[in-house]
Amino acid sequence: MDDGEGMETAAAELERLQIEILHKISILESSFLPQNSSAAPSPSLPVDENETVTRLSTILQSGGVNDFCFKRVATDYYDWPLESRRDVLGASSVDHLCKSIVLVNTQAASNILDCSDPNNSKYYVVVVQYTARFNAEAVKQFLYSLNEGKIPKKRFNLRLAPEETSIKLTGFEHNGVTCIGMKTNIPVILDEAITKLKPDFFWLGGGEIDLKLGVRTSEFLEFVKPFIVPCS
């Protein structure tokens, strides 16, 4: 075999190795993506500085919150298991994935129509973990105690608010609800378990269905000043 043939053989072998390496890299990359979603080509999608991101960022920063970020996710995000959602957001665990739900007190007195009294509001926003089971009875007991027993316990019955009511009060659609920048100043209840997460940085809705907000827990508490209730 002359030198020319030797060089061609070496080049062919090098090309084969390069292709093999690229194939292995591709397999490794795909293993970090949600297994049931071919629509997510990368761990997260670029966040466009749209009106929602700009508005909520301004609200957070004006309230002294600086450690936060927004991430855009794929349209089928809510079809994914929690483990895949964790991975795409870069969350520390599935326990760090939270949601904001609007509750209505169906047994409030007839003169309680709005959120003007946070201790006895018609509506509340509760932030809980996806991995937790919300305990409405715990919130009922908390509100009864908060009002020092002056309001009969039967006057507290928290239920999930109708979707149209939630949209009207918050300005956010289902799966996009966040307790930042709501149309109505609804009192916020945060499950105590979230305050114990390590590291103290959790994720919740970002104002749009495919937009998520990550925020430092300590800064969130200082800004939002929620009622902290063990309700899961």
Side-chain angles (χ1 to χ4, degrees):
M1 180 173 64
D2 58 29
D3 291 344
E5 291 176 339
M7 291 179 63
E8 288 180 5
T9 301
E13 177 63 11
L14 178 60
E15 182 179 6
R16 184 189 69 78
L17 290 173
Q18 288 175 332
I19 292 174
E20 183 177 344
I21 290 171
L22 288 173
H23 178 63
K24 289 181 177 179
I25 291 175
S26 177
I27 292 175
L28 283 171
E29 287 179 338
S30 65
S31 69
F32 288 97
L33 294 175
Q35 298 302 306
N36 65 333
S37 175
S38 59
S42 62
S44 62
L45 304 177
V47 175
D48 53 322
E49 289 294 327
N50 67 359
E51 181 181 351
T52 300
V53 172
T54 300
R55 185 175 73 86
L56 297 188
S57 294
T58 300
I59 291 172
L60 288 165
Q61 291 168 343
S62 65
V65 180
N66 297 301
D67 193 358
F68 68 90
C69 65
F70 287 92
K71 284 193 177 181
R72 186 75 63 181
V73 297
T75 54
D76 61 347
Y77 173 84
Y78 284 102
D79 294 331
W80 301 354
L82 293 179
E83 291 76 13
S84 295
R85 301 185 203 178
R86 172 201 61 200
D87 294 344
V88 82
L89 293 175
S92 297
S93 75
V94 292
D95 293 329
H96 286 72
L97 306 178
C98 304
K99 57 184 175 182
S100 303
I101 55 177
V102 179
L103 302 179
V104 56
N105 183 3
T106 61
Q107 295 300 317
S110 58
N111 63 319
I112 305 299
L113 303 172
D114 55 26
C115 305
S116 56
D117 181 2
N119 290 1
N120 186 24
S121 176
K122 180 70 174 178
Y123 303 97
Y124 287 93
V125 169
V126 178
V127 182
V128 294
Q129 298 158 293
Y130 272 98
T131 55
R133 184 174 181 178
F134 173 63
N135 185 348
E137 189 63 29
V139 174
K140 175 180 179 177
Q141 181 60 47
F142 168 77
L143 294 174
Y144 175 71
S145 300
L146 183 66
N147 288 277
E148 302 177 338
K150 296 176 181 177
I151 301 174
K153 189 176 289 188
K154 67 179 181 180
R155 285 298 183 185
F156 298 107
N157 185 50
L158 282 298
R159 292 290 181 266
L160 188 66
E163 186 172 343
E164 59 272 20
T165 300
S166 176
I167 294 173
K168 180 180 179 180
L169 291 172
T170 66
F172 304 123
E173 293 183 65
H174 178 62
N175 285 336
V177 177
T178 185
C179 52
I180 306 298
M182 297 182 290
K183 281 186 176 180
T184 308
N185 188 24
I186 310 174
V188 178
I189 295 174
L190 184 79
D191 185 11
E192 184 182 53
I194 298 173
T195 68
K196 299 178 180 179
L197 291 171
K198 300 296 180 183
D200 64 332
F201 191 96
F202 70 100
W203 289 86
L204 67 164
E208 296 178 10
I209 296 174
D210 61 349
L211 188 65
K212 304 304 159 196
L213 167 64
V215 62
R216 180 68 57 189
T217 311
S218 55
E219 293 187 3
F220 175 90
L221 295 175
E222 183 64 26
F223 174 49
V224 177
K225 293 180 171 56
F227 292 118
I228 299 176
V229 182
C231 55
S232 63

